[in-house]
Amino acid sequence: MPADPQWIEDALLRWIVFVPLGTALASGLLLAVFRRTLSSSLVVWMSCGSVFASFGLSSLSFAKLVGLFGEVPVDDVPPRVLIDTLYTWVGVGVGNSAFSADLAFRYDALSAVMCLVVTGVGFLIHVYSVGYMRADTRDDGGLQRFFCYLNLFIAAMLVLVLADNLLLMFLGWEGVGLCSYLLIGFWYGDRQNAYAGSKAFIVNRIGDFGFIVGILLLFWSMADAGQPAVSFRAIEAGFGSVASQTLALPGWLGGGEIGLATSIGLCFFLGAVGKSAQLPLFVWLPDAMAGPTPVSALIHAATMVTAGVYMAVRLSFLYEAAPGALVVIAWTGGVTAVFAALLATAQNDIKKVLAYSTISQLGYMFLAVGCGAYAIAIFHLVTHAFFKALLFMGAGAVIVATHHEQDMRRMGGLRKKLKLTYWVMVAGVLAICGFPGFSGFFSKDEILTSVFFAHELPGHVALYWMGVATAGLTAFYMFRLLFLTFHGKTRLPRGRRGELDDPEDTMMWPLQILAVLAVLGGIIGLPQFWGDRIGVAESNSLGHFLASVVRLGEPHALDAGVVAQLVGGVLAASITGFGLAYVLYISRPGLREKLEPVLGVPRRVVARRFYVDELYDAVFVRPLVIFSDRVLSRGIDAGLIDGRLVMGSAHAVRGLAAHVLKHLQSGLAQAYLLLMLAGTVALLAYLVT
Amino acid sequence: MEAEAFDVAALAPLGFVAIGALVTLMLEVVLSRRAFVGEGVDPETRLVARARIGIVLAFASSAAIVLAMYAAIYQFELGFETAFGPGRPMLQLDALSTFATALIGLGALLSVWLSITYLPALRINHGEYYALLLLSTAGMFVLVSAVDLISLYLGLELTSLPIYALAGFNRRRLRSNEAALKYFLMGAVASAVLLYGMALLYGATGHTDFTGISQGFAGGGGLALSGLALVIAGLAFKVSVVPFHQWTPDVYEGAPTSVTAFMAVTVKTAGFVVLMRFLVLALPEMGEKVSVLLGVLAGLSMLIGNLMAVVQDNVKRMLAYSAVAHAGYLMVGFAAGTPEAWTAVLFYLFVYLFMTVGVFCVVIALAQGGREWDSIEDFAGLASQRPALAAVMTLFLLSLAGIPGTAGFMAKFYLVVAAVDAGQIALVLILVGTSMVSFFYYLRLPVVMYMQKRRQDPDAETSSSEIVVLALCAAAILYFAFFAQADPFGTGVRALDVAGRAADFLH
Amino acid sequence: MSIPIEHVISLSALLFVIGVVGALTRRNLIVILMSIELMLNAANLALVGFNRVWSVTAEGAARYDGQVFALMVIAVAAAEVAVGLGILLSLIRNRDSLNVDDASLLRW
Amino acid sequence: MSFEMFLFYAFAFLAVFSAVAMIGFVRHIVAAAMSLVVTMVSLAGIYVLMHAELIAAIQILVYAGAIVVLFLFVIMLLDLRDGGLGPAARGQNLVKAVGVGGTVTIGTLVVASVSGVFSVNPLVESLPEGFGEHRALGIALFTDYALAVELVGLVLLASIVGAVILAKRKID
């Protein structure tokens, strides 16, 4: 357990949140109430400036945290936590369990990392958006609205990562969901977008249900033990006393008992599954790609979707007491990683490939969490933020350059026209595939190493091989993307072939910065083993930095042989993937047609997303709505939309209401009277007997 | 404080609105005569004159309500505690009743402001409207302080009769007639059931006052329990709890929207407060059995309300089912039955007022040309045309759904915490789960407002009275989301503490 | 000897049930209104009957809770009928039917 | 059986009979109103037996005198044909009537028998002088129950305003 930290009051923290929030509110208020559209350059300066200011403040706080201004060197003081308490937000004296929650921000090592990523990458994406939205012909003068939402999102995300207690975190949690919803549906008039936005929001409800129940369960059990608490500090201090309790399962769940920590952990994990698009709640993320590309980069790759990972790490003390929950997390992550990677290989929409890739990489992060390697999960989170934002924005550049072509089958040969875009994309692809020395190499390698050594985890060998397979698949689909888009002959329609060029500079220079980060970002978490080899004294600085918040595992007994084996395995898989992609898409494209009959069935299975939607349909929807033909016929109508789990149950709810309950409300006053009097008689019978 | 023989000051709020009702009636007669003297007044002039009269009457009613609220708040701050009535206490003036009086007054006040431009827009601008509204308010003032079955019954009738008429106020519209008819029929039967229950309670205990009943109740006994069941059924009707809810959607949809807003907030507040007082005073040891019963009603209301709301295409109807669902949430607090739960219920009612008035105000702001714009399609693309209206509507809906950052979340949170603490885990799970379902329908409106193109193009402007109401409601929702228990401006008033004081009526 | 209170209450319950059945089954609005009146009357009978039981205090003074309540109910019943008939008239102006089932525009 | 008891049962029979007639088998709506009058008057008789003379008087004045007359006025106003009762009750109604009546009655009976509903205090045999007469009740009304009387005034006012606004033929 980390040493008791030194708490420092710092009233500057609130401004990290308030600056972007204030900008968003001011611009929104002007727009909605006073109907003032500001000039686009003012909007741009305001919103980018506010995020940059927030980044500056975060950096300043970071400096304070590591004691840059301090008198004493870092190593000699206990780890510091900056805290900024505004006032008591919620406080109830409930029976024996009076508790209160402050509106307070907390800046410790974990928040610092998240905060810097959110504001730093967020700033770059803001700048990029300026160019992107300007280039977008669909834009109907909604620039101010767009940046208003974007800033609001940054503010909500910062609340999430800076929150000192679960309630405030939940505020940020819902806030980011809301902004994501607004931004996915940004181009209104397009029913598909509106639908995707609602879907994202509604799928997340299922996760949020888990989150809320987790909070309540935690609160209830802590209050029961006489230690009511909602702030992370207090929970961490008091959780030990309830961790060993058990809950009796109700009869319909088969009875028996479940550990309290495990059940709370699983509830929270359900929240994380929704937010971070893991199996089975991943269906919303690919659809969310309907939004503008900067939104995909910011929200659906770099920041919001990692909130689930952040939460799991934030609550690591809880998961430490719940090994059962960790097993579920690890397996969910591992299966999702390989599953989503498989799906990514069958996509033709460039953004969808990246969306499934994101799901897959998030699976890696949860795999790390499940192994108890929290710092490594955060390490991968950071590097992933760099290279996935880069890839999305690169894809956005391609989309803008080709005038909104997203289908890779109609691209090709763009290498010569979009030179800069090509090279930054290459950097991103190499980073995600784990090219030795690139950021993704170290983080992925670390995750697989921890899985390999996680002996306490049931089936860790299988998980390890799933991770390796995912690495191979990742290399395959990423190079497939690269080859289809940039290599070979152009397949663009003739009309669009003229004057293809890299987009304007405001879009390109964030890409270049991110490319540098994607290549070199691994340094912050350089593993000890590699540090020793290249003579860096202080390696794994991220891990040491996070040690004040999470438990670091024992260093693995690594020797050159084991490392060679581990790295070799991953590299071999990746090279296989690359080679396959190269053969199929560059050197022998004809082979694909020949393979088609052989691969037909599995390929079709993958292309139909493993028939997940159909499975949901069969398992959840049809039994529920069997009594209603209309919904049934809707359910069979596969052309409609995918993601039947959620929309299917929505339909089931609708069906139940529309076809059964509705008939109670017949419009006949006497029928109402009858029910009312029947209710009265029932009441009477119940009370009197 | 010792009960004084006839402490008229105690009745100030009731007096103000009752006198206000008489004054508006008189004013209407006098002003109308002035305006329409002579035969050949053309319709146009007539309309303008009517509009002016309407404004005068609205001001008069507002003044009466503000005075009543002021009196109530003053009494609250003084810590008034008077059992009122010559000889025998009929009304109890205490923190609960003054709190509820102020709350109902606020609901009535906002409803009056909503009506100023709405009534002319629907061409139903008759002066009696305000008198009826004030009389009903007076009835609710009686209701919330009633400590005797007689005053409870009279208060209930005084509350309901004007609302039956108000629901049918749009006489030319068949739907309005029908709403009035249904509300009347169901209401009359419900009050007959209630009355019969009261008779049985009286027969079993020999008393009509709550404390007498609680003494006589001691053993329970079939007669008393039957009476109790009928009384609960009658009151459950007023707060539209399943299975006594079926009038709600029809009446909400058919009644003029300003009336819907009025009854949605005030009747619900009054009904819940009187139910609370009755349960606590007349049944001090509210056994497990009653608690289970209330829990079942709560669960049914949450489920049915939320499920039915999903399939509605009319906004007012959807909000009616949502009101049923919210009644269910509130009943969770009743099932818990702890002082904290009462506090949470009162705070919820307080917040619910702003959300509901706000939502209906948006519907009203769309009404024009003698017709309501209340189907979901009517909201399509509103965000591009009237962005502020769409924004506050979204805020109100999100608050109703209970998303963090709105007062609706805080209200729900306190309720849930109190229920968890009282061990009502199953109900809390239903509450949280059905709240998730509620996002389905609350989100439909933002989706059509923000993500569809405007189809029709009414050129209505939001009137200044509506702007005031909307701004007030929106500000309250944001304010209480963060300062339910804080006092940033140093006023010394914390909303939750106030609710707590009001709930502390058990001595 | 006086009438057993049980009989009075039974009579009142019977009348109440008849009122309920009337309100539930008759289609004619005026008859439904009359049935509601019958229910109120039944409650009044119970009140007056019970007042016979609780007619004196421990000190021997007369108590009139039930009778006063009944008086109030009579007045309220009159008020209710007035409003009910008003609603009925306004309905009839728009649609020439006294059948309660015709008022089913609002549903679902 | 004392004379009092005989009177009670006579009135009770009359009341129930005419109530059933009202909801059951009269052909004309005016007949239904008349049945209601009979019920009201019978109840007034019972009130007298219960030592509630003032209530009995008011019952006749207000109910039989005012309320039923109001019904009759409306019936005349509407000029109803076919007895005003609309189409003859369908078989469905009968089923419903039997079902509802049966359920409620059985419910009531079950409740009554299971819980001993009727186990109330015995009747007070020696009533004070002038119990239930106008003087005693009047004093009670204007002392203990003065507030209730005021409230009833408001209720009546509300109903008048409401009825007028709804029923007035022309309001513009």
Side-chain angles (χ1 to χ4, degrees):
Chain A
M1 273 288 120
D4 202 27
Q6 176 191 353
W7 294 81
I8 305 170
E9 287 286 335
D10 184 359
L12 212 57
L13 282 185
R14 64 188 72 167
W15 296 107
I16 298 179
V17 175
F18 285 174
V19 170
L21 181 67
T23 315
L25 291 184
S27 132
L29 211 61
L30 274 179
L31 198 60
V33 178
F34 301 103
R35 310 214 185 166
R36 281 283 303 277
T37 318
L38 302 174
S39 76
S40 60
S41 62
L42 185 59
V43 170
V44 164
W45 279 107
M46 260 170 61
S47 57
C48 294
S50 69
V51 178
F52 189 73
S54 194
F55 178 65
L57 288 169
S58 307
S59 311
L60 190 66
S61 307
F62 177 74
K64 283 185 199 160
L65 196 66
V66 297
L68 217 57
F69 303 140
E71 319 69 41
V72 247
V74 190
D75 297 339
D76 296 346
V77 294
R80 299 176 183 190
V81 178
L82 305 184
I83 182 113
D84 180 10
T85 309
L86 276 79
Y87 61 93
T88 305
W89 180 29
V90 176
V92 249
V94 179
N96 59 346
S97 52
F99 83 101
S100 75
D102 292 337
L103 195 67
F105 300 113
R106 158 195 177 121
Y107 197 87
D108 60 6
L110 182 57
S111 310
V113 173
M114 293 301 292
C115 213
L116 288 171
V117 169
V118 170
T119 52
V121 176
F123 171 65
L124 292 176
I125 294 173
H126 261 71
V127 174
Y128 172 88
S129 316
V130 176
Y132 187 88
M133 295 310 282
R134 203 181 291 155
D136 196 293
T137 46
R138 277 177 291 184
D139 181 29
D140 58 344
L143 193 74
Q144 192 172 344
R145 195 160 59 92
F146 179 77
F147 276 105
C148 173
Y149 295 163
L150 218 53
N151 270 18
L152 204 59
F153 170 79
I154 294 276
M157 191 69 201
L158 287 170
V159 169
L160 198 162
V161 300
L162 286 174
D164 172 58
N165 56 55
L166 276 170
L167 272 187
L168 194 58
M169 186 174 173
F170 187 57
L171 172 66
W173 185 269
E174 292 289 325
V176 291
L178 188 65
C179 295
S180 145
Y181 158 71
L182 287 171
L183 280 165
I184 294 170
F186 181 72
W187 282 309
Y188 56 76
D190 189 339
R191 269 185 175 275
Q192 198 61 40
N193 291 8
Y195 177 79
S198 310
K199 183 168 172 180
F201 203 60
I202 286 166
V203 173
N204 272 302
R205 294 298 97 206
I206 299 174
D208 292 348
F209 178 70
F211 197 143
I212 299 174
V213 172
I215 292 178
L216 290 174
L217 208 55
L218 184 62
F219 165 67
W220 177 60
S221 55
M222 301 272 296
D224 230 30
Q227 290 178 317
V230 279
S231 79
F232 292 122
R233 184 186 183 179
I235 297 173
E236 190 166 358
F239 189 69
S241 59
V242 295
S244 54
Q245 288 180 7
T246 53
L247 286 178
L249 283 178
W252 49 269
L253 272 177
E257 288 192 328
I258 182 170
L260 185 67
T262 307
S263 47
I264 294 175
L266 286 177
C267 284
F268 279 117
F269 180 57
L270 182 59
V273 164
K275 191 66 75 188
S276 295
Q278 297 292 289
L279 270 176
L281 298 182
F282 69 94
V283 285
W284 65 271
L285 186 60
D287 287 353
M289 294 301 129
T293 304
V295 171
S296 313
L298 177 62
I299 298 181
H300 306 118
T303 54
M304 183 187 85
V305 287
T306 61
V309 180
Y310 164 77
M311 179 187 68
V313 176
R314 173 58 80 201
L315 297 175
S316 61
F317 60 88
L318 194 153
Y319 285 109
E320 285 295 286
L326 282 181
V327 174
V328 174
I329 294 178
W331 274 94
T332 309
V335 173
T336 308
V338 71
F339 184 78
L342 268 175
L343 290 176
T345 61
Q347 301 301 319
N348 289 318
D349 183 320
I350 187 166
K351 283 176 76 179
K352 290 232 162 129
V353 176
L354 293 174
Y356 282 108
S357 160
T358 305
I359 298 172
S360 167
Q361 298 294 316
L362 289 165
Y364 265 134
M365 295 176 210
F366 279 109
L367 188 54
V369 170
C371 298
Y374 308 107
I376 294 164
I378 294 294
F379 181 29
H380 194 59
L381 189 158
V382 174
T383 57
H384 176 256
F386 293 154
F387 59 66
K388 191 52 67 64
L390 170 65
L391 287 168
F392 260 115
M393 285 157 48
V398 172
I399 292 169
V400 166
T402 57
H403 304 284
H404 303 291
E405 184 52 68
Q406 298 200 8
D407 192 334
M408 295 189 295
R409 284 170 300 189
R410 288 199 289 273
M411 292 180 181
L414 298 175
R415 178 175 42 147
K416 295 176 195 101
K417 304 279 175 75
L418 312 176
K419 291 199 184 70
L420 194 52
T421 312
Y422 174 65
W423 284 111
V424 294
M425 284 292 273
V426 168
V429 169
L430 290 177
I432 193 176
C433 296
F435 187 78
F438 280 43
S439 59
F441 170 73
F442 295 113
S443 53
K444 194 183 292 183
D445 189 49
E446 281 285 87
I447 290 174
L448 290 175
T449 308
S450 1
V451 180
F452 190 76
F453 285 104
H455 298 294
E456 70 283 5
L457 191 69
H460 73 283
V461 179
L463 281 173
Y464 171 75
W465 286 111
M466 282 159 79
V468 171
T470 307
L473 287 167
T474 307
F476 174 73
Y477 68 72
M478 284 316 300
F479 278 103
R480 173 175 172 269
L481 182 149
L482 197 68
F483 293 152
L484 277 175
T485 312
F486 290 101
H487 291 256
K489 278 194 187 133
T490 182
R491 297 179 295 279
L492 273 176
R494 286 197 181 280
R496 293 200 201 152
R497 285 186 194 176
E499 303 136 34
L500 281 179
D501 199 2
D502 282 323
E504 54 177 302
D505 285 349
T506 38
M507 287 174 70
M508 290 318 287
W509 73 256
L511 276 174
Q512 295 166 46
I513 296 176
L514 277 175
V516 173
L517 287 172
V519 175
L520 301 177
I523 291 171
I524 58 165
L526 190 66
Q528 189 72 47
F529 178 83
W530 296 103
D532 294 346
R533 289 297 173 282
I534 57 173
V536 179
E538 278 285 326
S539 54
N540 197 10
S541 42
L542 181 71
H544 291 304
F545 182 52
L546 287 173
S548 59
V549 183
V550 299
R551 178 187 65 91
L552 290 186
E554 290 297 308
H556 305 300
L558 290 176
D559 58 42
V562 177
V563 171
Q565 191 189 333
L566 286 170
V567 175
V570 182
L571 276 184
S574 301
I575 289 168
T576 314
F578 164 74
L580 207 59
Y582 185 78
V583 170
L584 286 178
Y585 293 95
I586 298 284
S587 67
R588 306 269 309 275
L591 203 58
R592 268 185 290 161
E593 274 88 70
K594 285 187 197 148
L595 280 177
E596 205 63 43
V598 186
L599 288 175
V601 174
R603 211 184 138 70
R604 216 177 310 127
V605 169
V606 173
R608 292 292 302 149
R609 307 190 189 180
F610 288 94
Y611 293 93
V612 178
D613 297 331
E614 284 76 4
L615 186 73
Y616 285 160
D617 199 33
V619 175
F620 295 101
V621 183
R622 273 180 234 176
L624 275 173
V625 298
I626 205 90
F627 55 85
S628 143
D629 332 336
R630 209 200 295 173
V631 175
L632 193 62
S633 62
R634 259 192 227 154
I636 293 169
D637 182 14
L640 199 61
I641 334 117
D642 39 53
R644 281 293 149 69
L645 170 67
V646 179
M647 288 303 145
S649 49
H651 285 166
V653 167
R654 272 188 79 90
L656 182 65
H659 298 281
V660 182
L661 295 177
K662 195 171 90 168
H663 291 297
L664 283 178
Q665 195 75 23
S666 56
L668 301 173
Q670 285 173 325
Y672 299 175
L673 282 181
L674 187 65
L675 186 71
M676 191 172 106
L677 289 163
T680 311
V681 171
L683 249 157
L684 203 72
Y686 170 78
L687 270 187
V688 173
T689 51
Chain B
M1 203 191 281
E2 192 59 35
E4 290 181 27
F6 211 97
D7 188 357
V8 177
L11 280 192
L14 181 59
F16 281 128
V17 288
I19 292 169
L22 295 175
V23 169
T24 50
L25 274 178
M26 304 281 191
L27 265 180
E28 207 268 336
V29 174
V30 173
L31 293 177
S32 308
R33 280 179 68 88
R34 282 252 174 95
F36 307 128
V37 166
E39 281 298 303
V41 185
D42 68 304
E44 213 40 47
T45 327
R46 212 170 255 250
L47 268 184
V48 173
R50 250 197 204 298
R52 288 202 188 128
I53 295 171
I55 291 173
V56 172
L57 295 183
F59 267 100
S61 336
S62 303
I65 297 172
V66 167
L67 281 174
M69 281 171 70
Y70 179 77
I73 292 169
Y74 185 70
Q75 291 173 344
F76 183 84
E77 283 182 348
L78 274 187
F80 234 58
E81 265 191 60
T82 311
F84 184 83
R88 50 176 295 153
M90 282 274 171
L91 302 177
Q92 168 86 18
L93 275 297
D94 56 11
L96 177 66
S97 64
T98 46
F99 174 83
T101 301
L103 202 55
I104 290 165
L106 183 60
L109 186 65
L110 294 180
S111 311
V112 166
W113 292 351
L114 288 187
S115 316
I116 295 175
T117 47
Y118 176 75
L119 296 183
L122 247 63
R123 311 212 176 89
I124 50 172
N125 196 7
H126 311 299
E128 291 85 351
Y129 177 91
Y130 295 102
L132 288 171
L133 197 141
L134 287 176
L135 283 170
S136 176
T137 308
M140 290 183 237
F141 288 177
V142 173
L143 209 48
V144 294
S145 47
V147 284
D148 191 292
L149 295 180
I150 297 178
S151 49
L152 199 167
Y153 180 72
L154 291 177
L156 201 70
E157 290 295 330
L158 184 53
T159 304
S160 309
L161 286 177
I163 295 186
Y164 300 147
L166 284 174
F169 208 75
N170 195 352
R171 302 193 318 166
R172 281 178 297 267
R173 196 160 174 261
L174 201 49
R175 281 170 191 270
S176 184
N177 303 147
E178 188 178 320
L181 178 74
K182 280 182 178 167
Y183 194 28
F184 173 77
L185 280 185
M186 318 265 315
V189 172
S191 80
V193 168
L194 178 77
L195 182 65
Y196 205 80
M198 288 176 172
L200 294 184
L201 270 183
Y202 166 63
T205 63
H207 292 274
T208 55
D209 58 311
F210 291 176
T211 39
I213 290 173
S214 80
Q215 286 154 18
F217 203 82
L223 199 57
L225 285 173
S226 316
L228 177 67
L230 297 185
V231 169
I232 290 182
L235 290 178
F237 170 85
K238 281 291 160 208
V239 295
S240 57
V241 165
V242 175
F244 310 99
H245 69 290
Q246 286 191 297
W247 58 275
T248 321
D250 293 4
V251 177
Y252 273 37
E253 185 187 345
T257 311
S258 58
V259 177
T260 310
F262 176 66
M263 59 198 272
V265 296
T266 55
V267 176
K268 183 159 272 178
T269 306
F272 273 117
V273 168
V274 74
L275 186 60
M276 185 188 292
R277 197 192 283 276
F278 175 75
L279 287 177
V280 172
L281 288 186
L283 300 169
E285 71 294 357
M286 203 173 62
E288 182 71 8
K289 213 167 181 183
V290 177
S291 172
V292 169
L293 177 76
L294 297 172
V296 170
L297 294 181
L300 278 177
S301 306
M302 291 188 280
L303 287 171
I304 302 276
N306 278 315
L307 287 182
M308 287 298 290
V310 172
V311 289
Q312 301 307 323
D313 290 322
N314 180 294
V315 175
K316 282 162 77 179
R317 207 168 170 78
M318 182 195 91
L319 290 170
Y321 281 111
S322 128
V324 174
H326 281 271
Y329 303 151
L330 283 158
M331 286 301 270
V332 173
F334 277 74
T338 58
E340 287 74 23
W342 300 133
T343 307
V345 165
L346 290 177
F347 182 66
Y348 200 107
L349 286 170
F350 177 65
V351 170
Y352 184 74
L353 184 144
F354 294 109
M355 313 192 274
T356 309
V357 169
V359 155
F360 283 114
C361 185
V362 174
V363 179
I364 281 176
L366 289 183
Q368 57 137 13
R371 118 165 164 80
E372 314 245 25
W373 287 64
D374 59 356
S375 86
I376 290 198
E377 277 79 44
D378 290 339
F379 282 75
L382 192 68
S384 57
Q385 199 188 18
R386 297 164 84 177
L389 203 58
V392 290
M393 183 67 168
T394 308
L395 177 69
F396 297 142
L397 289 169
L398 288 175
S399 184
L400 282 168
I403 204 165
T406 60
F409 171 74
M410 297 312 299
K412 228 172 238 172
F413 177 75
Y414 284 118
L415 204 57
V416 162
V417 167
V420 165
D421 209 51
Q424 298 282 4
I425 304 297
L427 282 180
V428 167
L429 283 181
I430 298 178
L431 194 161
V432 175
T434 51
S435 296
M436 296 294 141
V437 172
S438 74
F439 277 91
F440 281 119
Y441 59 87
Y442 286 130
L443 269 188
R444 279 180 76 194
L445 274 178
V447 167
V448 299
M449 285 193 303
Y450 280 93
M451 297 167 194
Q452 284 183 14
K453 291 255 187 302
R454 191 91 184 123
R455 277 189 223 134
Q456 296 96 345
D457 227 31
D459 50 354
E461 277 292 317
T462 317
S463 74
S464 47
S465 57
E466 286 156 5
I467 289 176
V468 170
V469 174
L470 287 172
L472 187 73
C473 293
I477 284 172
L478 290 175
Y479 180 85
F480 292 112
F482 294 98
F483 303 115
Q485 211 165 29
D487 180 20
F489 302 121
T491 52
V493 180
R494 291 178 169 80
L496 208 75
D497 294 353
V498 170
R501 243 181 84 194
D504 187 29
F505 57 97
L506 275 171
H507 307 293
Chain C
M1 85 166 259
S2 48
I3 306 135
I5 185 68
E6 290 82 353
H7 295 200
V8 181
I9 302 308
S10 302
L11 174 62
S12 130
L14 194 54
L15 286 177
F16 191 80
V17 171
I18 293 171
V20 168
V21 172
L24 279 177
T25 55
R26 302 307 306 204
R27 293 289 181 263
N28 186 298
L29 280 170
I30 295 181
V31 180
I32 293 175
L33 270 182
M34 290 177 183
S35 303
I36 292 172
E37 290 305 307
L38 193 59
M39 290 162 76
L40 292 181
N41 264 289
N44 265 357
L45 180 60
L47 283 170
V48 172
F50 281 129
N51 202 151
R52 200 56 194 81
V53 179
W54 307 104
S55 49
V56 287
T57 59
E59 293 84 40
R63 291 172 55 190
Y64 293 110
D65 297 304
Q67 292 203 10
V68 169
F69 206 159
L71 263 180
M72 303 293 157
V73 173
I74 292 176
V76 168
E80 228 169 46
V81 167
V83 172
L85 289 176
I87 290 172
L88 206 141
L89 284 176
S90 76
L91 185 71
I92 288 212
R93 291 231 173 78
N94 282 337
R95 194 204 47 206
D96 193 18
S97 161
L98 268 179
N99 189 333
V100 64
D101 285 353
D102 289 344
S104 57
L105 224 55
L106 299 161
R107 56 180 169 174
W108 293 328
Chain D
M1 190 192 270
S2 67
F3 183 58
E4 234 183 335
M5 293 287 275
F6 168 76
L7 276 181
F8 173 74
Y9 288 121
F11 282 135
F13 174 77
L14 211 53
V16 171
F17 178 81
S18 53
V20 171
M22 181 188 85
I23 68 153
F25 50 81
V26 290
R27 291 281 169 79
H28 198 285
I29 192 158
V30 175
M34 286 305 142
S35 313
L36 187 62
V37 172
V38 175
T39 309
M40 306 287 180
V41 173
S42 320
L43 287 182
I46 293 177
Y47 291 161
V48 172
L49 295 178
M50 313 295 307
H51 295 279
E53 287 85 358
L54 181 67
I55 309 277
I58 289 180
Q59 168 89 358
I60 291 179
L61 283 177
V62 176
Y63 262 120
I67 295 181
V68 176
V69 170
L70 197 57
F71 273 118
L72 289 176
F73 266 129
V74 170
I75 292 167
M76 299 305 160
L77 194 69
L78 296 178
D79 187 23
L80 299 165
R81 264 151 301 197
D82 312 330
L85 287 175
R90 283 163 283 172
Q92 199 191 354
N93 287 350
L94 194 67
V95 173
K96 215 187 230 175
V98 172
V100 171
T103 322
V104 178
T105 317
I106 291 168
T108 318
L109 287 180
V110 166
V111 167
S113 56
V114 167
S115 57
V117 158
F118 299 131
S119 60
V120 289
N121 283 18
L123 288 185
V124 179
E125 292 299 340
S126 58
L127 288 174
E129 188 73 13
F131 183 85
E133 286 170 10
H134 59 277
R135 181 181 163 76
L137 210 55
I139 289 172
L141 272 179
F142 289 99
T143 55
D144 284 3
Y145 300 97
L147 189 69
V149 175
E150 306 288 332
L151 289 177
V152 166
L154 279 181
V155 172
L156 288 171
L157 173 68
S159 81
I160 291 167
V161 176
V164 165
I165 192 73
L166 288 171
K168 225 189 332 181
R169 198 167 282 277
K170 202 164 177 265
I171 47 178
D172 277 320

